[in-house]
Amino acid sequence: MSLAPPTGAAPAIEPPKLGLLAGGRSSSRTFALLSDYLELTKPKVQSLLLLTTIATMYVAGDPSPALVALTCLGGYLSAGGAGAVNHWFDRDIDARMARTATRPIPAGRISPRAALLFGCALACLSLLELSLTVNPLAAGLSFSGFLGYVFVYTVWLKRRTPQNIVIGGAAGAVPPLVGWAAVTGSVSGTAVMLFFIVFFWTPPHFWALSLLMKGEYEKVGVPMLPVVRGEAETRRQILLYAVLLYAVTQLPFCAGGFGVIYLVASLVLGVGFIAGAVLLYRRADRRSALRLYLYSLAYLALLFCSMVADRHL
């Protein structure tokens, strides 16, 4: 006997495939959870840190792709662990700021304990991975960046002083040291100068952003420079640091570390940074602050790329 529906009758409706639907929902939840843990590592911030690491490695020598990959993996684990611990420590103020209220911890998607354990585990994995596959010096320098970001910037300085980003910014300047140590097994004068370039770049870069976020920081009592000293003083400090940064970027050329390609790039990029800071100082508007913030990101990336071009071209 045929089981086909009679001619003209409605086709049989299959029952919903509950197993497939449940599996789809489970996959979506897993993907969302993985995305939240990835967000804890602050991947957008990481991209610029990794670029300075890679560029420094090619300035220091001619590393193999495997060495570059292993160094970047260790650097990402270390900085990502610091980011996760920062999310854990700042969960109270993150919940009160519109920009950060949807982060995984304040939104309730990841527990504070899980985030803290995740961050510490990443830092330990980084120390182990770099020690075994790169060298102990690179591992130690990377771990010092983790400790500096967590304990010096996040725990000690961020909620106590407007100089938080100046002193604490040293943690974000560690990647060039790690990259140099990964290739050479040591730290040279050129590596130290690259460290100071990132160190002096950090305040004007972050203060431009803090001008845009002044209301948020003021609401939660974080003493960023615009909150404590005012916007006019912040713009003045940005201009002063832009000039200081320009001077610092000339040191590698003066010391014989780079040639004409780097010199031209550092001059053009530095003048552009100072011009943006002057414009912000005169106009005192949010649009100029945003432009300078975005320019500062491109500035650091292009400056380090010019170092690689200078060495290899």
Side-chain angles (χ1 to χ4, degrees), residues 71 130-131 134-143 174 177-183 185:
T71 304
L130 288 174
S131 297
V134 182
N135 62 58
L137 179 59
L141 288 168
S142 182
F143 192 63
V174 167
L177 298 179
V178 175
W180 195 279
V183 175

Side-chain angles (χ1 to χ4, degrees), residues 23-182:
R25 287 194 295 268
S26 177
S27 298
S28 297
R29 286 195 297 267
T30 300
F31 179 78
L33 185 62
L34 292 175
S35 297
D36 284 335
Y37 274 101
L38 178 64
E39 185 179 346
L40 291 180
T41 66
K42 301 188 175 182
K44 291 181 180 180
V45 176
Q46 291 263 33
S47 60
L48 197 55
L49 298 179
L50 292 177
L51 187 148
T52 61
T53 303
I54 295 170
T56 302
M57 293 181 74
Y58 283 103
V59 169
D62 189 20
S64 66
L67 180 61
V68 174
L70 291 169
T71 304
C72 288
L73 174 61
Y76 192 99
L77 291 173
S78 180
V85 176
N86 176 266
H87 274 265
W88 165 78
F89 189 82
D90 282 346
R91 64 190 184 278
D92 57 333
I93 60 176
D94 282 350
R96 297 162 56 196
M97 294 193 295
R99 182 177 65 94
T100 56
T102 58
R103 285 178 173 177
I105 301 177
R109 299 192 302 272
I110 293 179
S111 71
R113 181 174 180 272
L116 177 60
L117 292 175
F118 177 65
C120 293
L122 290 185
C124 292
L125 285 173
S126 169
L127 188 60
L128 181 64
E129 188 266 341
L130 288 174
S131 297
L132 295 178
T133 64
V134 182
N135 62 58
L137 179 59
L141 288 168
S142 182
F143 192 63
S144 72
F146 169 85
L147 295 176
Y149 187 79
V150 169
F151 293 104
V152 177
Y153 172 68
T154 300
V155 176
W156 179 33
L157 297 174
K158 183 175 181 178
R159 306 193 191 198
R160 288 179 171 83
T161 171
Q163 294 300 307
N164 47 21
I165 201 63
V166 178
I167 304 170
V174 167
L177 298 179
V178 175
W180 195 279

Side-chain angles (χ1 to χ4, degrees), residues 227-289:
V227 176
V228 176
R229 304 283 295 277
E231 294 187 21
E233 177 62 17
T234 302
R235 291 191 294 269
R236 189 178 76 88
Q237 289 291 327
I238 288 175
L239 179 55
L240 290 174
Y241 266 86
V243 174
L244 181 58
L245 175 63
Y246 174 82
V248 172
T249 58
Q250 302 313 301
L251 294 179
F253 173 79
C254 295
F258 296 107
V260 176
I261 293 178
Y262 171 78
L263 175 63
V264 172
S266 65
L267 288 173
V268 173
L269 291 169
V271 169
F273 205 126
I274 294 173
V278 170
L279 195 64
L280 174 61
Y281 184 77
R282 290 181 174 176
R283 291 186 175 178
D285 60 349
R286 291 178 60 85
R287 186 177 183 182
S288 298

Side-chain angles (χ1 to χ4, degrees), residues 48 201 204-206 208-209 212 238 242 245-246 264-279 287-303:
L48 197 55
W201 165 86
H205 160 74
F206 192 85
L209 176 63
L212 301 171
I238 288 175
L245 175 63
Y246 174 82
V264 172
S266 65
L267 288 173
V268 173
L269 291 169
V271 169
F273 205 126
I274 294 173
V278 170
L279 195 64
R287 186 177 183 182
S288 298
L290 178 60
R291 282 181 173 178
L292 184 62
Y293 170 73
L294 295 176
Y295 177 81
S296 69
L297 295 171
Y299 168 89
L300 192 66
L302 292 173
L303 185 69

